[in-house]
Amino acid sequence: MMSQTPENYSQKTLNPENWVDQYGDYLYCFALGRLCNPEEAENVVQETFLAALKAQTSFSGKSNERTWLIGILKHKIIDYLRRYYREKSIGDISNNEEIVNQFYHDNGRLKKSPSGWLPDPVELLEKKEFWNVFKNCQEKLPRAIRDAFTLKEIEQMKSKEICETLNITQSNYWVLLHRARFLLRQCLEENWFDNFSKD
Amino acid sequence: MEFKIMLNCKETARLISDGLEHPIPLYSRMLLKMHLFMCSACTQYRRQIKALKNLITQRVKSGKEISTPESSLSNEVRSRIKSALCK
C-alpha cells in the first residue's frame, strides 16, 4: 500500500489507473462530508480525478498520493461552492431570523435555559458515537449556515476567503456563524448531552 | 449597534459569537459583561459555545474527520468516472 512505502523510496510515481478503485470511496466520503449531497460529491470527485490526471507533472512526490488527491479535492470543493453561491446568491439573510428567534420570547429571553453540561474533550475527542451525532446535527443545518460553519471551523479558512466563496458580506458571515453555533449547541443538547443527565 | 443600556439574551448570544470572530467595542463588552453577570443562562451558553469550539478545533487538529460516513461510490458512478478518465 502506498502509505507504507519506506521513507527512502521517493514516491515520484502516480498510478492513475488505480485511483478510482483505491481512493474513490475515500474521496467521495470526504466530499460528502463537506457538501452533504451525493450527486455534488460524485461530480466533485470526478472533477478531481480529471484535474489530477492533467496535473501529474506537478506531483513532487513529497506527500503521498492520497494526500495529494485530497488537496486537489479541497480546491474543487471550494470551486464548486463558489459557483453554487454565485448562482444562488443568498443576499439578505436578516429575514431568516425565525430560525433562531423561535427559541426566544418576544422580550429576548431564552424560552429554555441551557442545561448544565460541558463537553469533556478527554471523553469526547475519540468518541465515534458523539461525532456521529455531531455530524447529523451539522447536516440538519440550513445550507448556507452549514457551509459557513464548515469552512470556518473544519477547513479553518480565513473569513475573507469564506466570504468570497459564499458570495456574502462579512456581516452576513458573522450572522451565519452565530446561527450555526446556536443551532448546533441546541441540537447537541437535545441529542447527546441531555441523554446523559443525571437528574 | 444602536445605543443600549442593557442587552437581552438574544442580543447577548449574537455578541458572544461575534466576540469569537473579531474584537468588539469596549461599550459592547461592558454590556455583555453586565448581562452575563446577571444571567446564568447566557453564562452557561457562553461556556458551552466556547467549549464546543475548542473541542471541534482539537478534533480537526488531530487529523480525524468529523465522522466518516460509511458510504461508497456506486458501481455505476465508479464506471462513469473511469470512462471519463479514459477519454
Side-chain angles (χ1 to χ4, degrees):
Chain A
M1 295 223 353
M2 288 293 167
S3 55
Q4 286 161 18
T5 313
E7 282 303 297
N8 54 1
Y9 276 50
S10 74
Q11 209 175 286
K12 296 249 185 314
T13 53
L14 297 170
N15 300 303
E17 55 285 357
N18 296 338
W19 281 351
V20 180
D21 289 328
Q22 222 173 343
Y23 305 117
D25 285 346
Y26 185 81
L27 261 61
Y28 177 63
C29 286
F30 189 99
L32 206 53
R34 301 295 183 284
L35 299 170
C36 294
N37 177 309
E39 206 183 302
E40 290 174 11
E42 287 164 13
N43 290 339
V44 133
V45 168
Q46 180 166 324
E47 282 180 35
T48 298
F49 283 136
L50 284 170
L53 260 187
K54 293 196 187 123
Q56 284 183 76
T57 47
S58 76
F59 179 61
S60 65
K62 287 204 188 103
S63 62
N64 68 29
E65 205 172 30
R66 191 174 83 175
T67 307
W68 182 69
L69 287 169
I70 288 286
I72 298 174
L73 177 64
K74 284 187 184 187
H75 278 110
K76 288 297 168 189
I77 289 171
I78 303 288
D79 288 346
Y80 178 88
L81 289 173
R82 254 182 232 265
R83 287 197 308 268
Y84 179 92
Y85 283 103
R86 213 139 296 272
E87 270 173 63
K88 285 188 187 239
S89 182
I90 55 178
D92 182 22
I93 56 171
S94 56
N95 47 1
N96 288 338
E97 282 178 9
E98 195 37 43
I99 195 165
V100 161
N101 284 358
Q102 57 177 312
F103 296 97
Y104 290 99
H105 293 298
D106 286 338
N107 66 359
R109 267 190 81 85
L110 271 168
K111 284 181 178 166
K112 182 182 170 291
S113 291
S115 342
W117 55 268
L118 275 180
D120 175 7
V122 173
E123 185 208 332
L124 296 176
L125 194 61
E126 304 280 328
K127 208 177 191 99
K128 203 170 167 206
E129 297 86 356
F130 172 77
W131 294 105
N132 284 340
V133 170
F134 185 95
K135 185 132 201 20
N136 290 336
C137 288
Q138 198 185 352
E139 277 166 12
K140 278 199 268 189
L141 294 173
R143 183 78 203 240
I145 293 175
R146 187 178 72 229
D147 285 340
F149 177 83
T150 304
L151 293 182
K152 159 74 186 187
E153 302 289 357
I154 315 293
E155 293 304 326
Q156 315 222 301
M157 276 169 67
K158 297 258 158 58
S159 68
K160 185 161 178 278
E161 207 191 328
I162 298 175
C163 290
E164 283 167 11
T165 305
L166 303 182
N167 194 18
I168 53 176
T169 62
Q170 279 262 323
S171 135
N172 281 352
Y173 165 66
W174 291 323
V175 171
L176 291 177
L177 275 189
H178 158 56
R179 290 177 186 171
R181 287 165 175 153
F182 185 94
L183 294 168
L184 279 171
R185 191 215 70 86
Q186 183 70 32
C187 182
L188 287 171
E189 182 168 273
E190 283 170 26
N191 295 292
W192 181 267
F193 292 105
D194 275 355
N195 295 340
F196 297 96
S197 76
K198 295 180 179 107
D199 301 354
Chain B
M1 184 168 109
E2 64 194 48
F3 189 76
K4 288 185 190 304
I5 300 178
M6 280 175 55
L7 296 177
N8 62 33
C9 297
K10 193 162 77 170
E11 292 158 339
T12 299
R14 171 67 201 274
L15 208 47
I16 287 168
S17 179
D18 285 358
L20 296 173
E21 296 312 308
H22 58 83
I24 50 180
L26 180 61
Y27 189 66
S28 303
R29 280 207 310 276
M30 279 169 49
L31 288 178
L32 177 61
K33 275 202 162 75
M34 222 162 51
H35 181 93
L36 291 175
F37 184 71
M38 295 186 300
C39 181
S40 56
C42 288
T43 300
Q44 180 62 359
Y45 178 86
R46 182 168 177 268
R47 276 197 202 116
Q48 290 171 344
I49 293 296
K50 290 185 81 166
L52 283 173
K53 187 182 207 289
N54 290 337
L55 178 65
I56 294 163
T57 302
Q58 277 189 56
R59 175 81 178 183
V60 166
K61 289 208 149 89
S62 76
K64 293 215 159 58
E65 279 299 298
I66 286 296
S67 103
T68 359
E70 262 101 55
S71 304
S72 43
L73 293 167
S74 67
N75 288 332
E76 192 197 318
V77 173
R78 217 179 263 272
S79 313
R80 178 177 33 110
I81 296 177
K82 278 183 183 171
S83 52
L85 289 181
C86 288
K87 289 196 184 122

